[in-house]
Amino acid sequence: MRRRLTLVAAAATLGLTLAGCGGAAEKPAESAALPSEATGKVGVFTWWADGSEKVGLDALVGVFNKDYPNLTFDNLAVAGGAGSQAKSVLAAQLKAGNPPDSFQAHAGAELQDYIDAEQLEDLSSFYADNKLADQFPKDLVDRLTVDGKIYSVPSNIHRSNVVWANVEVLKKAGLDPAKPAENLDAWFADMDKIKATGKTPLAVAGSWTQVQLFENVLLSSLGVDGYNGLWDGKTDWKGADVTKAIEAYKKALSYTNSDRDSLSDWAPATQLVQDGAAAYNLMGDWAEAKFAQDGDKAGVDYTYFPMPGTQGVFNFLADSFTLPVGAPNPDGAKAWLTTIGSAEGQSAFNKAKGSIPANITAKTDDFSEYQKSAIKDFSQDKIVSSLAHGAAVPVAWLNDLSTAVSKFGGDGDVAALQESAAATAAKFAQ
């Protein structure tokens, strides 16, 4: 697995790879028409079915409709769970030989299972034709590249290690919203102060949101090298430092809302912060779009900062779109991918979504204060890959680890979670 996810060494090497990859036997079949000449429906499968995520999709579709008036966008969205429900539906459709024209996935290791199953077309020539490698950050292109090939076009860059906080709740607990804790111990001490006021210190939902909290506690506790080592085999899951990190995660859960497992997705947990029922919510920056669309003002109603202990680190994920093997309308799909990668499409989409453009030529002058700070941070911070959002490990690995984390939320058995995580790593990190 590690061999297959080896990153290309430099942009120049990538350019040569894209120009020359694949012989006749490996090259995907050429479509009959240019994207600009495509007609008919383009069925696009996402999990952006409602809320601020649907607003972002609508903005992107607006650009697509303008770019390709002869094509009709067919919204195949399936709601819920950061894509967990959607991925199950998609897997069944792909297995049945009924792929959409394009589907949403997280850039990075999540794509490996689709690649292994030969369900994705190689988009390397598409990148070369559209000069996309010159328009995306090198670090992102590296993370998209598998064995010298690229299989998806990213629509954005998200950050998962962001804490969103209610300004008034912090002030009532005697905390300065402008001076967040520097590490986990200090953050837990702040949560004790919040708890004493009768408020919930840390809002979280069920399923994947707990995995996201878990990954960021690991990152805070282990540091960049230790965290990355969990996925490439250099960090021992059975080590004492991992034990300490899991104990810290257990403590973090002790500050959360009692109904966490009944909240199936992220928005209700973020809403607890907006309503003043909770102080903090560790959430990806799609939360920024929710705050903005609900009329909340940064610095007045809410504030944000990197998870304590992860300052100077950007925990990365990116939504990306694919061309499935056997797509009913491959020319239409390429038209959709062209809009996805374009500066105009990315400006419209990311302004609404709360994320930042993958395309470095996109205009961002009217983006929010948070988004401008994220653009700056991505350019200078150390980048790591999100576990919960498919960037760090393939889907099967994530599913097994997610099951163990969910079980831990009920029994709090540190040794059992550590043993399960170690066994999962041994199973997949071959």
PDB file of all heavy atoms in Angstrom, residues 319-334:
ATOM      1  N   ASP A 319     -12.423  17.671  -1.456  1.00  0.00           N
ATOM      2  CA  ASP A 319     -13.468  17.021  -2.236  1.00  0.00           C
ATOM      3  C   ASP A 319     -13.009  16.993  -3.691  1.00  0.00           C
ATOM      4  O   ASP A 319     -12.497  17.991  -4.208  1.00  0.00           O
ATOM      5  CB  ASP A 319     -14.777  17.801  -2.120  1.00  0.00           C
ATOM      6  CG  ASP A 319     -15.302  17.833  -0.699  1.00  0.00           C
ATOM      7  OD1 ASP A 319     -15.561  16.749  -0.143  1.00  0.00           O
ATOM      8  OD2 ASP A 319     -15.442  18.936  -0.142  1.00  0.00           O
ATOM      9  N   SER A 320     -13.171  15.860  -4.332  1.00  0.00           N
ATOM     10  CA  SER A 320     -12.737  15.765  -5.716  1.00  0.00           C
ATOM     11  C   SER A 320     -13.746  14.960  -6.516  1.00  0.00           C
ATOM     12  O   SER A 320     -14.599  14.256  -5.945  1.00  0.00           O
ATOM     13  CB  SER A 320     -11.342  15.135  -5.813  1.00  0.00           C
ATOM     14  OG  SER A 320     -11.360  13.809  -5.319  1.00  0.00           O
ATOM     15  N   PHE A 321     -13.649  15.058  -7.843  1.00  0.00           N
ATOM     16  CA  PHE A 321     -14.601  14.385  -8.720  1.00  0.00           C
ATOM     17  C   PHE A 321     -13.876  13.531  -9.743  1.00  0.00           C
ATOM     18  O   PHE A 321     -12.765  13.840 -10.168  1.00  0.00           O
ATOM     19  CB  PHE A 321     -15.515  15.410  -9.396  1.00  0.00           C
ATOM     20  CG  PHE A 321     -16.540  15.986  -8.459  1.00  0.00           C
ATOM     21  CD1 PHE A 321     -16.210  17.060  -7.640  1.00  0.00           C
ATOM     22  CD2 PHE A 321     -17.797  15.429  -8.355  1.00  0.00           C
ATOM     23  CE1 PHE A 321     -17.136  17.571  -6.746  1.00  0.00           C
ATOM     24  CE2 PHE A 321     -18.733  15.936  -7.465  1.00  0.00           C
ATOM     25  CZ  PHE A 321     -18.401  17.010  -6.655  1.00  0.00           C
ATOM     26  N   THR A 322     -14.519  12.449 -10.129  1.00  0.00           N
ATOM     27  CA  THR A 322     -13.901  11.391 -10.914  1.00  0.00           C
ATOM     28  C   THR A 322     -14.607  11.203 -12.259  1.00  0.00           C
ATOM     29  O   THR A 322     -15.708  11.737 -12.484  1.00  0.00           O
ATOM     30  CB  THR A 322     -13.988  10.068 -10.152  1.00  0.00           C
ATOM     31  OG1 THR A 322     -15.380   9.729 -10.011  1.00  0.00           O
ATOM     32  CG2 THR A 322     -13.351  10.177  -8.775  1.00  0.00           C
ATOM     33  N   LEU A 323     -13.977  10.398 -13.110  1.00  0.00           N
ATOM     34  CA  LEU A 323     -14.623   9.886 -14.318  1.00  0.00           C
ATOM     35  C   LEU A 323     -14.673   8.366 -14.191  1.00  0.00           C
ATOM     36  O   LEU A 323     -13.664   7.679 -14.387  1.00  0.00           O
ATOM     37  CB  LEU A 323     -13.832  10.288 -15.572  1.00  0.00           C
ATOM     38  CG  LEU A 323     -14.339   9.717 -16.903  1.00  0.00           C
ATOM     39  CD1 LEU A 323     -15.805  10.080 -17.137  1.00  0.00           C
ATOM     40  CD2 LEU A 323     -13.470  10.193 -18.054  1.00  0.00           C
ATOM     41  N   PRO A 324     -15.827   7.808 -13.824  1.00  0.00           N
ATOM     42  CA  PRO A 324     -15.912   6.349 -13.651  1.00  0.00           C
ATOM     43  C   PRO A 324     -15.781   5.609 -14.982  1.00  0.00           C
ATOM     44  O   PRO A 324     -16.194   6.117 -16.040  1.00  0.00           O
ATOM     45  CB  PRO A 324     -17.314   6.150 -13.062  1.00  0.00           C
ATOM     46  CG  PRO A 324     -17.754   7.486 -12.582  1.00  0.00           C
ATOM     47  CD  PRO A 324     -17.087   8.483 -13.465  1.00  0.00           C
ATOM     48  N   VAL A 325     -15.222   4.431 -14.930  1.00  0.00           N
ATOM     49  CA  VAL A 325     -15.214   3.545 -16.084  1.00  0.00           C
ATOM     50  C   VAL A 325     -16.664   3.199 -16.419  1.00  0.00           C
ATOM     51  O   VAL A 325     -17.458   2.851 -15.548  1.00  0.00           O
ATOM     52  CB  VAL A 325     -14.417   2.263 -15.781  1.00  0.00           C
ATOM     53  CG1 VAL A 325     -14.598   1.235 -16.894  1.00  0.00           C
ATOM     54  CG2 VAL A 325     -12.945   2.588 -15.583  1.00  0.00           C
ATOM     55  N   GLY A 326     -17.035   3.349 -17.687  1.00  0.00           N
ATOM     56  CA  GLY A 326     -18.391   3.039 -18.107  1.00  0.00           C
ATOM     57  C   GLY A 326     -19.389   4.156 -17.871  1.00  0.00           C
ATOM     58  O   GLY A 326     -20.608   3.916 -17.918  1.00  0.00           O
ATOM     59  N   ALA A 327     -18.907   5.375 -17.634  1.00  0.00           N
ATOM     60  CA  ALA A 327     -19.821   6.509 -17.433  1.00  0.00           C
ATOM     61  C   ALA A 327     -20.740   6.648 -18.646  1.00  0.00           C
ATOM     62  O   ALA A 327     -20.280   6.569 -19.791  1.00  0.00           O
ATOM     63  CB  ALA A 327     -19.026   7.793 -17.239  1.00  0.00           C
ATOM     64  N   PRO A 328     -22.038   6.849 -18.439  1.00  0.00           N
ATOM     65  CA  PRO A 328     -22.976   6.953 -19.567  1.00  0.00           C
ATOM     66  C   PRO A 328     -22.666   8.109 -20.507  1.00  0.00           C
ATOM     67  O   PRO A 328     -22.880   7.998 -21.714  1.00  0.00           O
ATOM     68  CB  PRO A 328     -24.331   7.148 -18.876  1.00  0.00           C
ATOM     69  CG  PRO A 328     -24.150   6.603 -17.499  1.00  0.00           C
ATOM     70  CD  PRO A 328     -22.723   6.876 -17.140  1.00  0.00           C
ATOM     71  N   ASN A 329     -22.175   9.215 -19.963  1.00  0.00           N
ATOM     72  CA  ASN A 329     -21.892  10.394 -20.774  1.00  0.00           C
ATOM     73  C   ASN A 329     -20.481  10.905 -20.442  1.00  0.00           C
ATOM     74  O   ASN A 329     -20.331  11.916 -19.744  1.00  0.00           O
ATOM     75  CB  ASN A 329     -22.939  11.477 -20.513  1.00  0.00           C
ATOM     76  CG  ASN A 329     -22.825  12.658 -21.473  1.00  0.00           C
ATOM     77  OD1 ASN A 329     -21.883  12.759 -22.262  1.00  0.00           O
ATOM     78  ND2 ASN A 329     -23.785  13.575 -21.402  1.00  0.00           N
ATOM     79  N   PRO A 330     -19.438  10.233 -20.935  1.00  0.00           N
ATOM     80  CA  PRO A 330     -18.082  10.635 -20.570  1.00  0.00           C
ATOM     81  C   PRO A 330     -17.711  12.034 -21.049  1.00  0.00           C
ATOM     82  O   PRO A 330     -16.950  12.732 -20.384  1.00  0.00           O
ATOM     83  CB  PRO A 330     -17.205   9.569 -21.230  1.00  0.00           C
ATOM     84  CG  PRO A 330     -18.048   8.990 -22.314  1.00  0.00           C
ATOM     85  CD  PRO A 330     -19.449   9.053 -21.815  1.00  0.00           C
ATOM     86  N   ASP A 331     -18.252  12.455 -22.187  1.00  0.00           N
ATOM     87  CA  ASP A 331     -17.965  13.805 -22.661  1.00  0.00           C
ATOM     88  C   ASP A 331     -18.594  14.844 -21.732  1.00  0.00           C
ATOM     89  O   ASP A 331     -17.985  15.861 -21.410  1.00  0.00           O
ATOM     90  CB  ASP A 331     -18.504  13.988 -24.088  1.00  0.00           C
ATOM     91  CG  ASP A 331     -17.888  13.007 -25.064  1.00  0.00           C
ATOM     92  OD1 ASP A 331     -16.649  12.867 -25.032  1.00  0.00           O
ATOM     93  OD2 ASP A 331     -18.628  12.370 -25.821  1.00  0.00           O
ATOM     94  N   GLY A 332     -19.815  14.565 -21.301  1.00  0.00           N
ATOM     95  CA  GLY A 332     -20.456  15.450 -20.344  1.00  0.00           C
ATOM     96  C   GLY A 332     -19.724  15.462 -19.015  1.00  0.00           C
ATOM     97  O   GLY A 332     -19.600  16.504 -18.364  1.00  0.00           O
ATOM     98  N   ALA A 333     -19.228  14.294 -18.604  1.00  0.00           N
ATOM     99  CA  ALA A 333     -18.462  14.220 -17.364  1.00  0.00           C
ATOM    100  C   ALA A 333     -17.206  15.074 -17.452  1.00  0.00           C
ATOM    101  O   ALA A 333     -16.840  15.758 -16.494  1.00  0.00           O
ATOM    102  CB  ALA A 333     -18.093  12.764 -17.064  1.00  0.00           C
ATOM    103  N   LYS A 334     -16.525  15.047 -18.593  1.00  0.00           N
ATOM    104  CA  LYS A 334     -15.325  15.868 -18.753  1.00  0.00           C
ATOM    105  C   LYS A 334     -15.668  17.359 -18.743  1.00  0.00           C
ATOM    106  O   LYS A 334     -14.879  18.183 -18.255  1.00  0.00           O
ATOM    107  CB  LYS A 334     -14.595  15.486 -20.031  1.00  0.00           C
ATOM    108  CG  LYS A 334     -13.889  14.134 -19.934  1.00  0.00           C
ATOM    109  CD  LYS A 334     -13.096  13.822 -21.179  1.00  0.00           C
ATOM    110  CE  LYS A 334     -12.357  12.491 -21.025  1.00  0.00           C
ATOM    111  NZ  LYS A 334     -11.573  12.147 -22.243  1.00  0.00           N
TER     112      LYS A 334
END
